[in-house]
Amino acid sequence: MNASGINRAFSIDDLRERARRRLPRGVFDLYEGGAEDELTLRENRAAFERIRLRPRVLRDVSSVDTTTTVLGTPLALPLLIGPTGAVGFGWPHGEVALARAAQQFGVPFVLSTSATSSIERIAQAVPGHRLWFQAYILKDTDFTLRLIERARLAGYEALMVTVDLPVGGKRERDMRNDFSVPFRWTARNVAGFARKPAWALAQLLAGQPVLENLVGLEAPKTSTSGLVSSVGRRYDASFDFEALARIRDAWGGKLVVKGVVRDDDTERLVRLGCDAVVVSNHGGRQLDGGIATLDALPEVLEAAAGRIEVLVDGGVRRGVDIVKALALGAKAVLVGRATLYGVCAAGLPGACRALDILADELNRSMRLCGARQIAEITPDLIVAAAPGSAA
Ligand SMILES: Cc1cc2nc3c(=O)[nH]c(=O)nc-3n(C[C@H](O)[C@H](O)[C@H](O)COP(=O)(O)O)c2cc1C
């Protein structure tokens, strides 16, 4: 697809539809799906949709400034591209495209442990750009520590430890689709791949993606019934606050913890010395029935009490969603599927289109709310829940 073609996508949902048409079912579902009945996945979106705004008028919004800071350094938009594993199954080395798009838009890129592009490959692709490394805590502690050391040597500015995945969530779409890494050449998969020739050709030319950061790690022993369950077996389910303190000491730099939804956990993380938390439920891919992230945000903010930064992710599909999250008190949002849809639809131009859409919608929503700068996105923009309503 050429760049003008992708510019005919006007919303993240348009990009999602293009990704759906280009990808085999198993790959699309890998990105799209959540755990079990996908209650939390839907709830993340529903929480955004429940919020109503009280726009200010007559505020001279002829120019608007979307810049902000996170961890003390500037961002062009209050947004980061969050960590998503296995992007290469949708677009060869899709993480490189995501990192380049992040660079073009002046926002950090968070590289997943489970990426199909290595720590070093990404650092070389966007020299000097702000990169964060997302660590999963593997059973093989030495391997985890080596990953963290590699991230430091490659110049990553922050370490994001994801803590909502002691075991893999039960993602039934992957099981039904026979989706695993490496691909299983079942009749269903081969038939699905054959129906998507543009995707199949790109994969054939690039070779089957590899989780490059995990090369050398011993494969899980049991046979796989899906990517998630197989990857989940690598994680250290005994990981706790004390072990996190050891990771903090080994890293020594900015530490962000992702996957927090409770006040007591936030308090302990503040005391542990972390610099920011991400209110996240892994995009509804882990505990099904877990609280929507936007609903958990006030509790975490109250516990953080301004001592650390609070970011949020889950369900951001519109620029106005960013206004809502910031009005509730988040410092910035992370996007997962929004940019994934873009990169899977059209590689780098698709990833850029996703950011372009979100940036344009954010800019427009800020003007329509009478907010000329990020600091003017304040709680009074939000309609308070009516007493007795299910807020
Ligand atoms: C396909 C996919 C892969 C993901 N892989 C990771 C990962 O490797 N590490 C991680 O911390 N979170 C991962 N996540 C969760 C995202 O970082 C983020 O929390 C979530 O996608 C936010 O919800 P959204 O997709 O609605 O924006 C993944 C999410 C998706 C959709």
Side-chain angles (χ1 to χ4, degrees):
M1 189 183 318
N2 61 32
S4 67
I6 201 68
N7 287 340
R8 299 292 304 161
F10 298 111
S11 65
I12 297 300
D13 210 45
D14 286 353
L15 289 172
R16 174 186 173 278
E17 183 51 25
R18 284 170 191 243
R20 194 187 63 75
R21 277 192 258 128
R22 186 178 161 272
L23 298 177
R25 171 94 187 250
V27 180
F28 180 74
D29 277 355
L30 166 73
Y31 300 145
E32 177 78 350
E36 299 178 10
D37 297 316
E38 304 189 336
L39 297 172
T40 299
L41 175 65
R42 285 194 295 278
E43 199 45 25
N44 279 346
R45 269 308 301 151
F48 274 110
E49 287 170 5
R50 279 195 291 272
I51 290 183
R52 292 291 175 272
L53 296 166
R54 299 171 61 238
R56 302 178 197 112
V57 295
L58 299 169
R59 293 298 203 280
D60 182 2
V61 287
S62 48
S63 70
V64 74
D65 178 3
T66 60
T67 59
T68 187
T69 61
V70 167
L71 299 184
T73 31
L75 272 65
L77 300 165
L79 174 156
L80 296 85
I81 298 188
T84 50
V87 185
F89 291 88
W91 192 275
H93 288 297
E95 296 93 357
V96 172
L98 289 174
R100 292 203 167 118
Q103 183 177 41
Q104 284 182 30
F105 281 79
V107 298
F109 171 68
V110 190
L111 181 71
S112 162
T113 291
S114 316
T116 54
S117 305
S118 69
I119 291 170
E120 295 78 12
R121 184 191 288 274
I122 293 296
Q124 280 160 19
V126 288
H129 186 57
R130 298 182 66 182
L131 295 170
W132 295 11
F133 179 64
Q134 176 267 319
Y136 280 135
I137 305 303
L138 305 162
K139 283 180 185 152
D140 185 338
T141 314
D142 288 344
F143 199 96
T144 309
L145 291 173
R146 278 201 298 279
L147 284 177
I148 292 171
E149 185 55 21
R150 282 169 57 189
R152 184 213 319 286
L153 289 173
Y156 284 63
E157 82 170 32
L159 180 70
M160 176 183 281
V161 179
T162 298
V163 294
D164 57 10
L165 203 143
V167 296
K170 186 170 177 238
R171 297 179 208 157
E172 295 171 10
R173 294 198 203 206
D174 297 341
M175 295 171 181
R176 286 191 200 99
N177 291 329
D178 293 336
F179 196 89
S180 69
V181 177
F183 287 143
R184 290 161 72 194
W185 298 103
T186 61
R188 180 200 306 273
N189 275 339
V190 173
F193 297 170
R195 276 196 292 273
K196 303 293 175 179
W199 172 87
L201 184 64
Q203 291 287 324
L204 218 65
L205 291 175
Q208 184 162 158
V210 169
L211 305 185
E212 288 189 342
N213 292 323
L214 300 180
V215 170
L217 182 67
E218 205 185 322
K221 295 252 170 352
T222 32
S223 71
T224 58
S225 63
L227 169 75
V228 176
S229 47
S230 66
V231 171
R233 286 194 191 102
R234 297 177 190 267
Y235 302 137
D236 179 5
S238 72
F239 189 65
D240 59 8
F241 282 97
E242 284 71 40
L244 178 63
R246 290 194 289 277
I247 295 286
R248 172 202 63 197
D249 295 343
W251 168 250
K254 299 276 185 199
L255 179 70
V256 181
V257 174
K258 171 170 178 277
V260 179
V261 295
R262 291 172 58 104
D263 53 0
D264 50 359
D265 287 342
T266 307
E267 178 60 37
R268 286 186 77 171
L269 290 167
V270 171
R271 281 195 266 123
L272 194 133
C274 77
D275 299 281
V277 290
V278 184
V279 178
S280 176
N281 51 34
H282 220 101
R285 294 162 73 80
Q286 286 300 111
L287 174 68
D288 197 32
I291 185 171
T293 47
L294 222 54
D295 291 338
L297 182 59
E299 162 174 349
V300 172
L301 278 162
E302 201 180 324
R307 293 173 291 173
I308 57 169
E309 292 182 346
V310 177
L311 316 179
V312 65
D313 76 9
V316 174
R317 302 288 183 273
R318 291 279 184 191
V320 74
D321 296 337
I322 306 175
V323 172
K324 292 175 180 177
L326 267 56
L328 282 171
K331 186 72 178 156
V333 303
L334 276 68
V335 290
R337 293 181 184 82
T339 39
L340 262 184
Y341 295 143
V343 75
C344 291
L348 177 58
C352 288
R353 185 68 186 152
L355 291 179
D356 203 24
I357 289 168
L358 291 174
D360 170 67
E361 289 177 354
L362 170 66
N363 186 303
R364 204 181 288 265
S365 307
M366 283 177 67
R367 288 169 189 237
L368 290 171
C369 282
R372 289 159 295 200
Q373 45 186 296
I374 297 298
E376 290 180 0
I377 303 179
T378 43
D380 58 284
L381 284 177
I382 299 213
V383 177
S389 72

